[in-house]
Amino acid sequence: MDEQLSMLSDDELGVHEQQITDKLKVIEDKLARLKSQKAHLLELQEQIHNVRKQRKLIQKTGTDWDKENFAWSSKARELLSSIFSVKQFRPKQLETINALMTGNDVLFLAPTGSGKSLCFQLPALLSKGVTVVISPLISLMEDQVWSLERLKIKAKLLCSTTNKDAISQIHRELSDKKVPTLKLLYVTPERLSKSKRFMTALQKCYNNGYLDRFAIDEVHCCSQWGHDFRPDYKFLNVLKEMFPKAPLLGVTATATTKVISDVQTMLNIPDSLLFVASFNRPNLYYHVLAKPTGKQEQYDLITNLLLTRFRNQSGIIYTYSMKDAVDISTALISRGLKAGPYHANLDPADRTKIHRLWHSEELQVVVATVAFGMGINKGNVRFVIHHTLSKSMENFYQESGRAGRDGARAECILLYHFSDLFRISTMTFSEYTGLKNAYAMVEYCITTSECRRKIISQYFSEVWGEDNCSAMCDRCVNSDLVRPQKEIAPYVEQLSRIIEKCDLEQTNVTGLKLVDAWMHKGPMNLRLTDPAPLIDRTIAEQIVAYLIVKGYLKESFVYTPYATLSYIKRGTVRVTNDTLKFRCGKLFPLVPDAERTTTNGQTTPTASKGKKRVSSVVKTNGTSPMVGGSKGKRTRRRIDSDSDDHSSLESEKSDEEVIVAPNEVEVIELDGD
């Protein structure tokens, strides 16, 4: 072969080399496709394994737990009515309570607002000792303690906001040989893992026979596969070793089959019983709304919703950063609305104040990071607006589930813009399943034909469709407007050539700049000689987002001293048989108030006119306003949801400051002993 090559001219060698390069490219494409197919099949295989494991676990649980022939059944029914003012148990509540009272370790999976807390509060009243509730968020515990105090149930909270005298009193009561008057004690996992004094008091309580059980709220936080993994939850694996006779109840609204298996292993409860209630919330209306590019336009959009569609109604606005929480609430206050920010860096007393004002209807809306919300027991929340993508479908389902806990219609609106994809991915790519979770949320937003509920159900091993939705999502309401699938393989080739051109010129290209170049905008040297595609920019952004989510394009992350940047490269997945179809389509506007219907088909009345708002502004530490309803000069702007955004990702990142940690973590001093 060497002799044959040596006899060829330079031109012939060039032709020969090009043929080899072309063949290698074909082989590489085939290998990439096979690798992608293998990964997909392995993922499906694992899902099948996990579903079978969960079904086997449910079958082992049996069907006798729904009877009311236990020694405590009559008293449980009496307390349900007299204390909790509830006539009937919700799905799987009775089974969970009976299994727990019998001394079994139990895992209970149920949607937000399905009454998971009753499954440890009612047993606490049926027992003589103390039930210890471990919860990840102080706001959640405060909310439940307030509710229990109103019901004349003795409950205490032990966390960083508890004063020293109260802590000492709790320790004494736990250590006393007398029957404790305390029925429920709420603690953070950090308190268990870092306070030896508390663990000593708990050990004495157990030895005296008064530690009835542990209830672990948001139990998915134990697992690294969970979307809210908390390192201090790992300490809970000692509970079964230290308190073997105290049964464990783990409850959560979001856990995959893999997380369930992981939780059982970590908590050392392999024989725990599993009860799963349906995750469908038929009274919640899901809608993805186009998010304006400019901040003032975003504030105007939210203001308009709060003053008209949700006038005099209580709700939550979720956003991703602490800076956004402050900025949005400040903007709403200046527009005459009663709003307040809630995030992990607020002083604990200020967080509690905001929470109380909102709970008592003195605030219309709380603008919050994920530090606010898990298990918030406020039934009349009529709307939850996501200003930014949640970092996972589990987070989104849980946060949107704060709405409509009273069973009446409530709306869950997510504001989506293409640039948010990169804002979330740059914050989550280093997490265990961060990108996978973030891309699932993007796919939820850009999917233009599937029922929103059907997409959500895939994460909870349930099968929902349009029949389960009853036109309670924007896709089902607008099913007659769905566009046909569009052939986008030529677009993939064009985008790949732009990326190759950038690589040759040693230029990195962000997602926004890639769309700019494709649409013949931005720097001339990045554009192709091909004409720009005859599509709207929002459709172009949707196609690029789809290609990233599906692996035809991929993000490459680069750290800088000020931010993490995302640049777009060719992905490992290749177009098969030169054909790739995607159903494009713009996001639908909200249905006018007059056309909204409830789940039973009755028209929802337009929000009633309320009294004139009272001006008030409360400031903390002499800085930015926290809550208020002061009237300022209000401007009117036409909001164009299809406006173009030609800014680079770098400029998008420039106004980002501190990002809230995935969870609020309690900081306590280590004991001297």
Side-chain angles (χ1 to χ4, degrees):
M1 179 61 71
D2 289 344
E3 292 180 2
Q4 293 177 351
L5 290 175
S6 63
M7 296 175 63
L8 297 176
S9 66
D10 287 342
D11 290 342
E12 290 172 328
L13 285 172
V15 171
H16 197 57
E17 185 178 28
Q18 185 59 49
Q19 290 174 343
I20 293 172
T21 301
D22 292 342
K23 288 181 180 179
L24 284 172
K25 187 175 180 181
V26 171
I27 292 172
E28 286 173 0
D29 285 348
K30 286 182 179 179
L31 288 173
R33 284 198 294 270
L34 290 171
K35 185 178 179 180
S36 176
Q37 291 172 7
K38 180 183 178 182
H40 178 64
L41 291 172
L42 287 172
E43 186 176 354
L44 285 176
Q45 189 178 52
E46 185 178 17
Q47 289 174 359
I48 291 170
H49 172 75
N50 289 330
V51 167
R52 281 179 173 167
K53 186 173 181 179
Q54 180 170 320
R55 285 178 179 172
K56 189 180 293 184
L57 192 60
I58 294 173
Q59 289 170 0
K60 184 184 74 174
T61 299
T63 58
D64 295 333
W65 299 111
D66 59 351
K67 309 297 182 185
E68 294 194 53
N69 54 3
F70 295 92
W72 53 82
S73 293
S74 59
K75 187 177 181 182
R77 176 63 66 173
E78 177 192 341
L79 292 172
L80 183 71
S81 175
S82 63
I83 301 297
F84 297 99
S85 301
V86 176
K87 294 182 179 179
Q88 295 296 333
F89 288 104
R90 294 181 184 180
K92 304 300 178 181
Q93 279 184 328
L94 180 60
E95 292 92 325
T96 301
I97 290 169
N98 285 335
L100 187 64
M101 288 294 295
T102 310
N104 289 282
D105 299 316
V106 181
L107 295 176
F108 180 35
L109 278 65
T112 306
S114 61
K116 293 185 291 296
S117 58
L118 183 77
C119 294
F120 53 80
Q121 291 173 355
L122 184 55
L125 300 184
L126 295 171
S127 310
K128 65 177 181 179
V130 178
T131 293
V132 177
V133 183
I134 303 162
S135 179
L137 292 179
I138 294 173
S139 61
L140 178 153
M141 296 189 290
E142 286 178 338
D143 192 87
Q144 292 207 7
V145 169
W146 295 339
S147 299
L148 291 169
E149 287 174 346
R150 288 195 293 270
L151 298 175
K152 302 294 190 290
I153 298 171
K154 190 168 181 183
K156 295 291 183 183
L157 167 60
L158 191 56
C159 67
S160 58
T161 61
T162 311
N163 64 59
K164 291 184 178 180
D165 290 341
I167 292 174
S168 298
Q169 175 59 35
I170 291 170
H171 287 170
R172 281 195 299 271
E173 186 164 0
L174 290 175
S175 304
D176 203 326
K177 292 185 178 181
K178 296 179 182 178
V179 179
T181 59
L182 182 64
K183 301 308 297 180
L184 290 124
L185 177 62
Y186 286 78
V187 299
T188 58
E190 290 80 13
R191 180 68 51 172
L192 285 162
S193 63
K194 293 180 173 66
S195 177
K196 293 179 182 178
R197 286 180 59 207
F198 175 66
M199 292 303 292
T200 300
L202 214 54
Q203 189 75 57
K204 290 179 180 178
C205 185
Y206 177 77
N207 292 337
N208 292 332
Y210 299 135
L211 180 57
D212 289 332
R213 65 190 60 82
F214 290 96
I216 305 173
D217 210 353
E218 311 300 342
V219 75
H220 63 272
C221 296
C222 291
S223 171
Q224 290 193 54
W225 292 97
H227 61 283
D228 280 321
F229 172 62
R230 290 282 289 269
D232 280 295
Y233 263 72
K234 291 192 295 184
F235 178 80
L236 303 186
N237 63 0
V238 306
L239 295 181
K240 266 301 167 186
E241 183 178 340
M242 295 182 67
F243 314 103
K245 294 181 181 179
L248 263 63
L249 168 65
V251 298
T252 181
T254 52
T256 63
T257 51
K258 192 173 187 67
V259 170
I260 294 167
S261 178
D262 203 20
V263 165
Q264 286 181 305
T265 301
M266 290 193 65
L267 295 179
N268 195 22
I269 51 171
D271 297 321
S272 60
L273 303 181
L274 175 66
F275 296 100
V276 182
S278 174
F279 280 76
N280 190 17
R281 297 279 304 281
N283 63 310
L284 298 186
Y285 173 78
Y286 295 97
H287 194 110
V288 180
L289 193 62
K291 181 178 180 179
T293 302
K295 287 190 175 182
Q296 295 304 318
E297 286 74 20
Q298 294 170 19
Y299 302 155
D300 287 345
L301 171 60
I302 295 171
T303 298
N304 183 57
L305 288 173
L306 268 57
L307 288 174
T308 56
R309 192 179 189 88
F310 304 125
R311 182 176 177 81
N312 296 331
Q313 295 180 0
S314 182
I316 306 171
I317 297 172
Y318 279 107
T319 191
Y320 198 71
S321 73
M322 291 184 282
K323 181 179 184 299
D324 278 349
V326 174
D327 288 350
I328 294 170
S329 60
T330 302
L332 295 179
I333 291 166
S334 70
R335 287 160 167 78
L337 291 159
K338 293 185 176 182
Y342 191 107
H343 56 76
N345 270 14
L346 273 181
D347 183 89
D350 290 334
R351 285 205 304 267
T352 301
K353 182 178 182 179
I354 292 288
H355 190 179
R356 284 186 182 275
L357 288 171
W358 177 72
H359 208 283
S360 62
E361 309 289 328
E362 294 179 61
L363 292 181
Q364 180 185 9
V365 66
V366 170
V367 186
T369 61
V370 293
F372 182 79
M374 288 189 196
I376 291 298
N377 187 23
K378 183 169 163 57
N380 66 338
V381 176
R382 296 273 67 85
F383 64 91
V384 170
I385 299 172
H386 278 83
H387 170 262
T388 310
L389 284 173
S390 296
K391 69 174 188 174
S392 70
M393 182 61 74
E394 291 89 346
N395 276 97
F396 172 72
Y397 175 81
Q398 206 167 43
E399 290 157 6
S400 60
R402 307 289 163 256
R405 291 169 72 98
D406 56 4
R409 178 187 168 114
E411 301 198 359
C412 308
I413 299 173
L414 191 159
L415 304 183
Y416 171 75
H417 189 275
F418 177 59
S419 60
D420 285 343
L421 187 167
F422 310 108
R423 186 180 187 195
I424 301 301
S425 67
T426 52
M427 300 301 168
T428 61
F429 78 97
S430 59
E431 297 175 14
Y432 199 48
T433 55
L435 272 186
K436 181 180 178 182
N437 291 337
Y439 288 169
M441 275 307 305
V442 174
E443 192 167 9
Y444 171 82
C445 293
I446 66 175
T447 299
T448 59
S449 59
E450 294 282 14
C451 165
R452 301 285 183 202
R453 269 180 172 72
K454 182 177 179 182
I455 299 171
I456 293 172
S457 71
Q458 296 169 359
Y459 291 83
F460 305 108
S461 301
E462 294 192 36
V463 180
W464 305 341
E466 293 183 13
D467 292 340
N468 303 98
C469 188
S470 300
M472 284 292 283
C473 81
D474 55 340
R475 290 304 173 199
C476 291
V477 168
N478 298 285
S479 58
D480 57 328
L481 300 178
V482 174
R483 297 183 179 186
Q485 286 191 326
K486 183 179 181 66
E487 177 61 63
I488 64 170
Y491 297 154
V492 180
E493 191 270 336
Q494 287 180 336
L495 291 164
S496 296
R497 281 195 285 133
I498 294 173
I499 293 170
E500 288 172 2
K501 192 173 184 180
C502 292
D503 289 342
L504 288 173
E505 297 189 12
Q506 297 183 335
T507 300
N508 287 318
V509 63
T510 65
L512 293 169
K513 285 184 176 178
L514 178 63
V515 176
D516 280 344
W518 190 26
M519 303 297 288
H520 280 221
K521 296 178 180 178
M524 294 290 295
N525 63 324
L526 301 184
R527 304 179 191 179
L528 298 176
T529 55
D530 304 15
L534 298 176
I535 55 177
D536 187 90
R537 184 185 176 90
T538 56
I539 300 298
E541 291 175 343
Q542 194 178 61
I543 291 171
V544 171
Y546 172 81
L547 296 176
I548 292 172
V549 166
K550 295 300 183 182
Y552 297 96
L553 301 175
K554 70 175 183 179
E555 293 184 82
S556 176
F557 300 97
V558 176
Y559 288 105
T560 74
Y562 307 103
T564 304
L565 302 179
S566 163
Y567 297 115
I568 309 301
K569 304 292 182 182
R570 276 191 86 191
T572 55
V573 180
R574 299 289 184 267
V575 177
T576 306
N577 300 325
D578 295 325
T579 183
L580 178 65
K581 291 188 176 181
F582 173 58
R583 187 173 277 109
C584 312
K586 290 187 179 182
L587 298 175
F588 295 112
L590 280 164
V591 174
D593 281 4
E595 298 177 25
R596 290 155 60 191
T597 57
T598 60
T599 52
N600 62 6
Q602 298 299 313
T603 301
T604 302
T606 304
S608 60
K609 294 182 179 180
K611 296 180 180 179
K612 192 173 182 180
R613 298 184 182 276
V614 180
S615 297
S616 65
V617 177
V618 179
K619 295 190 177 182
T620 56
N621 302 325
T623 56
S624 61
M626 284 180 53
V627 300
S630 60
K631 291 190 176 182
K633 184 178 180 181
R634 192 173 301 158
T635 57
R636 297 287 182 181
R637 294 182 178 86
R638 177 180 176 273
I639 297 171
D640 183 5
S641 60
D642 294 328
S643 59
D644 290 352
D645 179 5
H646 308 301
S647 59
S648 67
L649 185 63
E650 287 90 337
S651 63
E652 170 72 13
K653 282 287 174 187
S654 63
D655 60 2
E656 282 298 306
E657 292 188 355
V658 183
I659 300 298
V660 69
N663 299 287
E664 171 189 359
V665 179
E666 180 191 7
V667 180
I668 65 174
E669 294 182 4
L670 293 174
D671 294 326
D673 56 350

